[in-house]
């Protein structure tokens, strides 16, 4: 692992940094096939599961999401929007914009969005969103390449990949990025709910 910065995602380090209701309750796992599978159907809105490593992470259309241990931000958030089912696909864009906002705030980079779920820097994919509606809830997955060096970036992917480390030349505190992401996501999600016709 490449952790020159102290970016512990452990609950005792992370929970005090949370600024809203998203991330409560908070769970960290070392390794999982996919964080999308770990939220219980009865978990409350705002419940979050974070993984240090995903062994079978996936994006849209079943594509793989590669993430060596300790290098990325990999999480799934439970949402229970009281809104018509036909609006649920909009959540992917809501989350992608929040992700781009958080990256910009902490790095000074200017991420772009590629519809419907990719966050790009310089035309290369740095993050992806996966929103899955099931059982009256939405499980919202976010994967961000944070501290991956260039030689660990995936090559066999649909779009060239990059990481925040490659783009900024410095390692980032994943905990700080997660706190920023959750705050911005909560704000955009609430605005989206309130904009319902």
């Amino acid at each position: 692992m490449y952790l020159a910065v102290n970016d512990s995602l452990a609950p005792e380090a992370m929970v005090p940094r949370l600024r809203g209701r998203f991330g409560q309750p908070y769970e960290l796992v070392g390794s999982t096939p996919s964080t999308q599978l770990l939220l219980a159907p009865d978990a409350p809105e705002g419940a979050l599961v974070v993984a240090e490593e995903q062994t079978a992470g996936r994006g849209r259309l079943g594509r793989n999401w590669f993430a060596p241990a300790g290098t990325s931000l990999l999480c799934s958030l439970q949402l229970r929007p009281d809104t018509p089912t036909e609006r649920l696909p909009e959540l992917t864009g809501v989350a992608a914009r929040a992700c781009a906002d958080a990256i910009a705030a902490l790095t000074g980079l200017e991420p772009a969005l590629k519809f419907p779920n990719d966050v790009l820097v310089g035309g290369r994919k740095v993050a992806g969103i996966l929103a899955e509606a099931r059982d009256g809830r939405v499980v919202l997955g976010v994967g961000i390449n944070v501290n991956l060096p260039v030689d660990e970036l995936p090559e066999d992917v649909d779009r060239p990949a990059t990481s925040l480390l490659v783009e900024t030349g410095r390692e980032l505190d994943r905990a700080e990025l997660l706190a920023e992401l959750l705050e911005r996501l909560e704000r955009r999600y609430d605005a989206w709910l309130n904009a319902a016709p």
Side-chain angles (χ1 to χ4, degrees), residues 2 118 137:
Y2 301 85
D118 290 346
R137 63 188 175 125

mmCIF file of all heavy atoms in Angstrom, residues 2 118 137:
data_model
loop_
_atom_site.group_PDB
_atom_site.id
_atom_site.type_symbol
_atom_site.label_atom_id
_atom_site.label_comp_id
_atom_site.label_asym_id
_atom_site.label_seq_id
_atom_site.Cartn_x
_atom_site.Cartn_y
_atom_site.Cartn_z
ATOM 1 N N TYR A 2 0.342 2.328 -0.553
ATOM 2 C CA TYR A 2 1.087 3.577 -0.679
ATOM 3 C C TYR A 2 0.421 4.618 0.203
ATOM 4 O O TYR A 2 -0.356 5.433 -0.253
ATOM 5 C CB TYR A 2 1.088 4.036 -2.138
ATOM 6 C CG TYR A 2 1.698 3.024 -3.058
ATOM 7 C CD1 TYR A 2 0.942 1.984 -3.576
ATOM 8 C CD2 TYR A 2 3.036 3.089 -3.393
ATOM 9 C CE1 TYR A 2 1.500 1.038 -4.410
ATOM 10 C CE2 TYR A 2 3.603 2.146 -4.229
ATOM 11 C CZ TYR A 2 2.830 1.125 -4.737
ATOM 12 O OH TYR A 2 3.388 0.199 -5.564
ATOM 13 N N ASP A 118 -19.746 8.382 -15.311
ATOM 14 C CA ASP A 118 -18.293 8.485 -15.188
ATOM 15 C C ASP A 118 -17.871 9.908 -14.833
ATOM 16 O O ASP A 118 -18.431 10.880 -15.341
ATOM 17 C CB ASP A 118 -17.605 8.098 -16.500
ATOM 18 C CG ASP A 118 -17.711 6.612 -16.804
ATOM 19 O OD1 ASP A 118 -18.070 5.845 -15.889
ATOM 20 O OD2 ASP A 118 -17.436 6.216 -17.954
ATOM 21 N N ARG A 137 -35.547 0.656 -2.146
ATOM 22 C CA ARG A 137 -34.360 1.432 -1.758
ATOM 23 C C ARG A 137 -33.449 1.581 -2.966
ATOM 24 O O ARG A 137 -33.631 0.910 -3.980
ATOM 25 C CB ARG A 137 -33.611 0.719 -0.629
ATOM 26 C CG ARG A 137 -33.069 -0.649 -1.057
ATOM 27 C CD ARG A 137 -32.509 -1.435 0.127
ATOM 28 N NE ARG A 137 -32.121 -2.779 -0.287
ATOM 29 C CZ ARG A 137 -30.913 -3.303 -0.101
ATOM 30 N NH1 ARG A 137 -29.960 -2.600 0.495
ATOM 31 N NH2 ARG A 137 -30.637 -4.522 -0.500
#
